[in-house]
Amino acid sequence: MQKTYNMKLILTMLLAVGIVNTSVANLFSKADYESSLQTQELMGAPLTILEQNGMWMKVECSQPYSGWVPALSVVTMDIDKLSQWTTAAKYIVTALNETVYSRNNSKSDVVCDLVAGDLLKQVQNKGKAVIKSGFAAVELPDGTQGWVNAKSLEDNDRWTQQNSKLTPEKKVEKAIGWAEKMKGIPYLWGGISTKGFDCSGLVLFCYRMAGVKVPRDASPQYKAGKDIEFHKYPDGTYNLTKLKRGDLVFFGNFLKITHVGIYLGDEKFIHSSHLVRVNSLNKNDENCYENIDKIVKVCRIVE
């Protein structure tokens, strides 16, 4: 028994694992709110804890990225608790924004906020999810319990399986559907959530919600798919006839990618630039994207 305990202790010390316990965890470049935002992770995501400095933790996430997060946004777990969290039945939030309430009504005290993509543990009774008056009983990673509008949640296992069975075309349409819902959300450097997106963060989020894994940043996204041919004419217009809905359109130069968006068809694309918006890729259109002349590549990540 002593050997088992020591092994668990050693593994816990080596792993130093935490789970995001707030709707969004912001990873900063330094243990300072005035430093640059590196990226975000959503509630329920695992983090490797590298260092702690007062009210800050240096962590590494699976994107992969490392950075400093407020310690209050992370709950540390030993091996047993991590195993319990990993294997527990969970909900995924499918509403853009939601709230965890202290009781099963929206007039009760607020426990915390939620964003699309967050994971919560299901509270169950005899193997069945507890739902009362249209509210589902949930548990945050730190064990805090509350209630969420059941219409804003999906069983995560079922949701994941449903995504895996979608045809490539339906995955693309689901990703585009999510992107369309994001219109008007402000640009946020490092953002991957409904609280704000950078350009590659929007791509990551929308395809993640359609069950498709893509890299976090534009440059790796640039390399992740199949090249799609396009042609630029001397007058600055493009032949985009080989593009399909859902293709990723990259801007910049052949030394550096600076921007990415999702092609919608009819020479239009959706992207996060100042805010999530739809622009034309035809320079003669009134709604033409201001950097239309900087398309360098198009790739297809779902086939």
Side-chain angles (χ1 to χ4, degrees):
M1 186 65 125
Q2 186 64 36
K3 288 183 179 179
T4 302
Y5 172 78
N6 287 341
M7 182 57 70
K8 286 183 177 180
L9 180 61
I10 291 170
L11 288 172
T12 301
M13 292 174 65
L14 289 173
L15 288 173
V17 175
I19 302 292
V20 176
N21 196 57
T22 49
S23 61
V24 174
N26 294 317
L27 278 69
F28 294 92
S29 60
K30 299 177 182 178
D32 186 341
Y33 285 111
E34 294 185 1
S35 65
S36 60
L37 181 64
Q38 301 288 86
T39 190
Q40 297 176 324
E41 272 292 6
L42 305 184
M43 180 182 287
L47 303 170
T48 300
I49 299 170
L50 305 175
E51 183 181 343
Q52 184 150 3
N53 181 6
M55 294 298 290
W56 291 87
M57 288 181 178
K58 188 174 184 181
V59 300
E60 185 172 77
C61 63
S62 62
Q63 294 179 24
Y65 253 99
S66 62
W68 290 88
V69 298
L72 292 178
S73 65
V74 178
V75 55
T76 57
M77 292 192 173
D78 60 23
I79 294 298
D80 289 335
K81 289 183 179 179
L82 178 63
S83 177
Q84 292 170 16
W85 168 258
T86 302
T87 58
K90 287 185 277 293
Y91 289 116
I92 184 168
V93 178
T94 52
L96 297 191
N97 300 283
E98 245 317 332
T99 302
V100 180
Y101 294 100
S102 60
R103 296 190 297 278
N104 59 327
N105 69 76
S106 58
K107 295 182 180 180
S108 60
D109 291 339
V110 170
V111 175
C112 68
D113 76 312
L114 299 170
V115 297
D118 282 345
L119 294 175
L120 299 150
K121 184 178 177 180
Q122 293 183 19
V123 173
Q124 297 187 338
N125 182 20
K126 297 181 180 179
K128 293 185 178 181
V130 176
I131 298 177
K132 294 182 179 180
S133 303
F135 283 77
V138 301
E139 184 174 301
L140 276 60
D142 68 356
T144 301
Q145 294 193 353
W147 298 83
V148 178
N149 187 334
K151 293 181 179 179
S152 299
L153 305 172
E154 294 281 352
D155 179 276
N156 187 55
D157 286 341
R158 184 169 59 248
W159 180 85
T160 300
Q161 291 172 3
Q162 289 172 345
N163 274 339
S164 69
K165 294 177 181 178
L166 295 175
T167 64
E169 292 78 10
K170 288 184 178 180
K171 287 182 179 179
V172 165
E173 291 306 317
K174 188 169 184 178
I176 288 176
W178 275 101
E180 294 277 5
K181 294 177 184 178
M182 304 302 142
K183 286 191 289 188
I185 291 179
Y187 179 90
L188 176 66
W189 176 267
I192 67 161
S193 74
T194 58
K195 294 189 177 185
F197 294 99
D198 61 23
C199 63
S200 59
L202 178 68
V203 171
L204 170 74
F205 173 84
C206 295
Y207 270 103
R208 176 190 283 179
M209 295 301 284
V212 180
K213 292 182 179 180
V214 298
R216 165 65 179 91
D217 293 327
S219 292
Q221 289 173 0
Y222 175 93
K223 301 173 183 177
K226 174 185 175 182
D227 280 330
I228 303 300
E229 182 181 344
F230 69 96
H231 181 73
K232 185 176 182 180
Y233 296 117
D235 66 357
T237 59
Y238 292 91
N239 182 338
L240 304 175
T241 55
K242 294 189 176 182
L243 274 65
K244 292 183 178 180
R245 282 169 62 83
D247 288 349
L248 302 186
V249 183
F250 296 89
F251 301 79
N253 56 57
F254 286 97
L255 295 176
K256 184 178 181 181
I257 300 301
T258 59
H259 192 58
V260 61
I262 302 172
Y263 189 64
L264 299 177
D266 297 326
E267 298 187 314
K268 293 180 174 60
F269 79 121
I270 188 166
H271 60 135
S272 183
S273 173
H274 302 290
L275 47 77
V276 178
R277 54 185 169 131
V278 174
N279 283 112
S280 174
L281 296 173
N282 186 328
K283 75 169 192 175
N284 297 315
D285 288 346
E286 183 179 350
N287 191 35
C288 174
Y289 178 46
E290 54 269 26
N291 292 315
I292 182 63
D293 61 327
K294 295 182 179 179
I295 298 178
V296 292
K297 180 176 178 177
V298 177
C299 79
R300 186 165 298 149
I301 58 172
V302 180
E303 284 196 286

